[in-house]
Amino acid sequence: QVQLLESGGGSVQAGGSMRLSCAASGDDYNSAYCLAWFRQAPGKEREGVAAIDMDGSTRYIGSVKGRFTISRDNAKNTLYLEMSSLQPEDTAMYYCAAGAGVYRDGGLDIGSERDYGYWGQGTQVTVSA
């Protein structure tokens, strides 16, 4: 089993910053897992935001490049998402996920929901204009 627990969500004004954390635990968890952040806004499908593999390779969707940074501390079994220059369109429930990793054209890809077998409960991020 793998348990993922997100924290750090809340409300912030546009242009502000926020850091999300995700603590991983469980007998089946190890640092070889690829970790990712997904988000889901009301009425929209869940989308992958960023992913990081065990070697530290990262991948982002275009709308967050240069504003969000994904990182992990394998010693602490913790995943992070540093978010800056937040905009109202970043408002969503943010989920962390663990999976085997998706690679295309020799590089890490975020993949889709079906590529991740373990999920946290989510943490809400609300950005006001």
Side-chain angles (χ1 to χ4, degrees), residues 47-61:
E47 66 171 351
V49 174
I52 184 168
D53 68 12
M54 64 175 294
D55 296 323
S57 295
T58 59
R59 185 68 179 259
Y60 299 90
I61 56 169

Side-chain angles (χ1 to χ4, degrees), residues 50-108:
I52 184 168
D53 68 12
M54 64 175 294
D55 296 323
S57 295
T58 59
R59 185 68 179 259
Y60 299 90
I61 56 169
S63 61
V64 307
K65 278 184 180 178
R67 300 190 299 123
F68 290 12
T69 302
I70 188 172
S71 62
R72 64 193 290 173
D73 186 333
N74 290 332
K76 296 181 179 179
N77 290 344
T78 303
L79 173 71
Y80 302 100
L81 186 67
E82 297 273 3
M83 305 183 291
S84 63
S85 301
L86 283 161
Q87 299 301 315
E89 51 265 36
D90 295 315
T91 294
M93 185 73 79
Y94 283 72
Y95 300 88
C96 68
V102 180
Y103 293 87
R104 294 193 176 93
D105 298 325
L108 179 68

Side-chain angles (χ1 to χ4, degrees), residues 100-123:
V102 180
Y103 293 87
R104 294 193 176 93
D105 298 325
L108 179 68
D109 197 290
I110 298 174
S112 66
E113 288 184 73
R114 66 187 67 183
D115 296 311
Y116 295 84
Y118 300 101
W119 293 84
Q121 294 297 309
T123 185

